[in-house]
Amino acid sequence: VDIFFQRDFFGQTYNAGILLRGAEISSLVHHIFQQRNNLAFDVQDSPEAEAVRKMFPRHPRMIPLLNSLFNELVEKSRKFGERTSLFDVKENTVKYKFRESFTSKVVFPNETMFQYLHHADAGEIAPADAEEHLGIDVHIARFSYAEIPKRNFCAVLGVTGTLRTVEKLEGTPDEYILDEDERKFLDRDFGIKTFTYTPSVFGGSKLEFAFRTDVAVLHDEPQWYNRLQEVADDVSKLQHAVIIFFDTRERLVQARKHLPQLTSAQLLHENTPASQVGPIVTAATQPGAILLSTATFGRGTNFFCADATVVVTVVQAFYSASLSEEVQIKGRAARQKHEGRFRLVLCSEHLAADFFLDEPDTDTGVTPTRLDNVKGRLQRAIDENRLEDLMKSQRALRMKKLNEGRDERVLAARQLHRKAEAMVSTVVKETDAQKQLTTLLEACQMEVVTSRLVVLVLDESRSMAGSPWTNLVVAYKDFMGTLRRAGDGTHVVVVGFACGASVHAEAPLENFNFDLPTSRITENGASTNFHAAFSVVESVICRDAFNAHSVSIVFLTDGCPNDDSHTAVVKSMLDRRAVREVFSIYFN
């Protein structure tokens, strides 16, 4: 449960999609990679792009989708080197930096494949192996992790090894890990109202730890390194085992450099080959063993000690932002009836960088003044025996900061989830294959097409004079304000119509600056001609420049056509170009 509420899941989505592959697609990807430094390159006109278009059924929504994907490939081919990554020659994989380590489990759609082509050019991977990674990723739908448990299950159970009960029960710890909002989520969103505490089958813990005596705060990194060295030496000389956990791989590596006497220490981090993890974990609890590990292995890794005479000491060399993480790391010692010890060895410089968000210069980095202030506060807390309370308050501030905007993220993910569920439901219920394809392509278009064309069609006929036009102007201003708050990637076109029709203004949203006059625009005449209006709209949305745009039409009028003269042009328009959405707003 505590993992579920972390930012990686709660408020995030599982992104479902498909991978398009084929000889034509591989040729296109290679061509784009070769042209990545050519800023004049237009992928849409290339024979390779046309060959890919011919692979798929002709459908009015297919071409805009593919064109958007082609543009995305070009953009990704020019930026793939901006992310921090490395190529593991032994494993033949690209690894990206995730948090504080490198992993091959992170892949960026329509981007990582260019890394493989880059390393193939450098001779680090065989071209045939790089070819295995080529394709076009297409997102279809996003499902919210927070919504998945709400489906019609007969029961929803939350299981955790670190969660404290909401109410004090006999035999349970006094402190619980989930904050008030998270406990409300459990009740309100998931209907979890019953909490049960199950004690360990191994009986009470034999862990030795007291905050006052087993927490050390050192003024700088040299003192911090020395204390870690002292603890490791003391434990190892007694033929016991010590595991030192660091928050990042970088700090682990730096500590190893500054602890030259720990020549026998094993290292365990995210880049450790999988085949070596098991033997290292087993050796970590042998008499005299010293292990330096990243915090990733402090959750769920079973450092089992078969020798009852060996006492495992776990040293946490950082202060966890999450109480859950600290509880998990503590749990690597005193396992299964064995004795164990836990120590916190902290550095003031690290705390000043990662905590103390109530300092006035929080956003300016670790300045000398900030560092002095933090050191002073820590020392006063130690002298007054308030260190535990101070650190708990700082943890609460850090968690509050990490959880900022969580409700908004959960709500946004919920809206995406509902759209995804509606799409799946439509596809499953529909029996017509063409309609199923249309539904899927519409979903893909909403996920993939980031460039948007908004065409506002304004009725300027005589009947709009007076209050209808006044109301239209207000609606126009409100709409443009909402559009600007929605973000970039939008091109706006304003079409006016009466007896005739014309384009009044058009520009990318960031440069768009067209205000309607307070009185009705009269240049297009007085009567109403919907055929003329749709003819101009068709000429706009079918321009080559908007091939990769998602089209939205906003129609503002006070009436309906008197005949069906506009029907043919509307049908022609929809045959030539997919329209994502149409809004018709009536004024009277």
Side-chain angles (χ1 to χ4, degrees), residues 517-538:
T518 55
S519 298
R520 176 180 70 90
I521 299 175
T522 59
E523 65 184 60
N524 287 309
S527 60
T528 306
N529 186 340
F530 284 85
H531 179 278
F534 281 111
S535 295
V536 173
V537 172
E538 180 186 27

Side-chain angles (χ1 to χ4, degrees), residues 219-265:
H219 281 279
D220 53 36
E221 283 195 335
Q223 293 184 39
W224 180 65
Y225 293 134
N226 289 338
R227 181 60 62 87
L228 292 174
Q229 178 79 57
E230 292 170 3
V231 173
D233 286 344
D234 291 345
V235 174
S236 182
K237 287 176 182 177
L238 295 173
Q239 290 301 293
H240 294 308
V242 60
I243 306 172
I244 304 177
F245 287 103
F246 297 86
D247 55 343
T248 68
R249 179 174 175 269
E250 283 76 9
R251 281 181 178 164
L252 181 152
V253 171
Q254 287 300 314
R256 183 68 180 82
K257 290 179 181 178
H258 288 84
L259 301 173
Q261 296 178 18
L262 301 184
T263 54
S264 62

Side-chain angles (χ1 to χ4, degrees), residues 59 100 152 162 164 211 243 379 410 442 466 482 497 511 531:
H59 190 285
E100 304 302 333
N152 296 323
T162 58
R164 303 296 195 264
F211 201 97
I243 306 172
Q379 190 58 53
V410 170
E442 287 174 349
T482 301
F497 79 99
N511 300 325
H531 179 278

Side-chain angles (χ1 to χ4, degrees), residues 180-216:
E180 184 178 354
D181 287 340
E182 290 165 341
R183 298 195 296 278
K184 287 180 180 177
F185 276 124
L186 286 178
D187 184 354
R188 182 191 67 205
D189 290 16
F190 306 113
I192 295 179
K193 302 179 184 297
T194 303
F195 295 83
T196 303
Y197 177 77
T198 304
S200 171
V201 296
F202 296 103
S205 173
K206 295 183 180 180
L207 181 70
E208 176 191 308
F209 173 71
F211 201 97
R212 186 172 183 179
T213 57
D214 295 322
V215 177

Side-chain angles (χ1 to χ4, degrees), residues 47 56 60 83 112 173 231 354 360 404 441 463 472 496 515:
F56 298 97
R83 299 186 196 271
T112 300
V231 173
D354 301 334
E404 279 183 357
L441 289 175
S463 60
L472 183 148
D515 293 325

Side-chain angles (χ1 to χ4, degrees), residues 299-516:
R299 178 181 287 276
T301 306
N302 185 15
F303 290 94
F304 177 71
C305 184
D307 189 341
T309 65
V310 175
V311 177
V312 176
T313 295
V314 167
V315 179
Q316 186 172 328
F318 65 100
Y319 192 72
S320 297
S322 163
L323 177 59
S324 169
E325 181 180 52
E326 182 180 307
V327 171
Q328 283 283 342
I329 291 175
K330 279 182 182 176
R332 300 317 97 198
R335 300 182 67 78
Q336 301 180 8
K337 294 185 179 181
H338 285 259
E339 294 181 6
R341 299 187 178 96
F342 179 72
R343 305 287 184 267
L344 273 173
V345 179
L346 310 176
C347 175
S348 295
E349 294 175 351
H350 301 166
L351 294 174
D354 301 334
F355 287 87
F356 290 87
L357 302 182
D358 51 353
E359 284 291 323
D361 59 345
T362 294
D363 298 326
T364 59
V366 187
T367 61
T369 301
R370 176 181 175 81
L371 184 57
D372 288 342
N373 288 347
V374 170
K375 286 182 177 180
R377 292 176 66 181
L378 288 167
Q379 190 58 53
R380 287 192 298 274
I382 292 171
D383 294 341
E384 299 169 7
N385 194 24
R386 293 187 297 101
L387 182 61
E388 184 174 9
D389 291 338
L390 174 64
M391 295 312 300
K392 283 183 178 180
S393 67
Q394 293 303 315
R395 170 179 281 154
L397 286 174
R398 176 77 183 277
M399 290 305 297
K400 182 178 180 181
K401 182 72 174 178
L402 290 174
N403 290 331
E404 279 183 357
R406 180 167 55 181
D407 288 347
E408 290 78 7
R409 292 193 298 272
V410 170
L411 179 59
R414 179 181 301 154
Q415 293 172 337
L416 293 170
H417 182 91
R418 288 174 177 171
K419 288 182 180 179
E421 283 195 321
M423 180 271 294
V424 172
S425 177
T426 300
V427 172
V428 170
K429 293 177 181 178
E430 183 58 67
T431 57
D432 185 286
Q434 189 69 11
K435 291 181 179 178
Q436 288 177 324
L437 177 61
T438 298
T439 300
L440 286 170
L441 289 175
E442 287 174 349
C444 292
Q445 200 169 19
M446 291 179 69
E447 290 293 322
V448 173
V449 179
T450 56
S451 298
R452 189 177 190 185
L453 172 63
V454 176
V455 183
L456 291 103
V457 189
L458 313 182
D459 185 346
E460 299 167 352
S461 61
R462 183 184 295 112
S463 60
M464 285 292 294
S467 60
W469 182 260
T470 300
N471 292 333
L472 183 148
V473 171
V474 172
Y476 172 84
K477 289 181 178 179
D478 276 353
F479 179 81
M480 290 307 302
T482 301
L483 204 59
R484 287 192 170 91
R485 290 191 295 273
D488 299 328
T490 299
H491 192 96
V492 181
V493 178
V494 176
V495 174
F497 79 99
C499 181
S502 61
V503 174
H504 290 320
E506 62 172 294
L509 181 60
E510 60 268 25
N511 300 325
F512 190 82
N513 187 22
F514 175 72
D515 293 325
L516 292 176

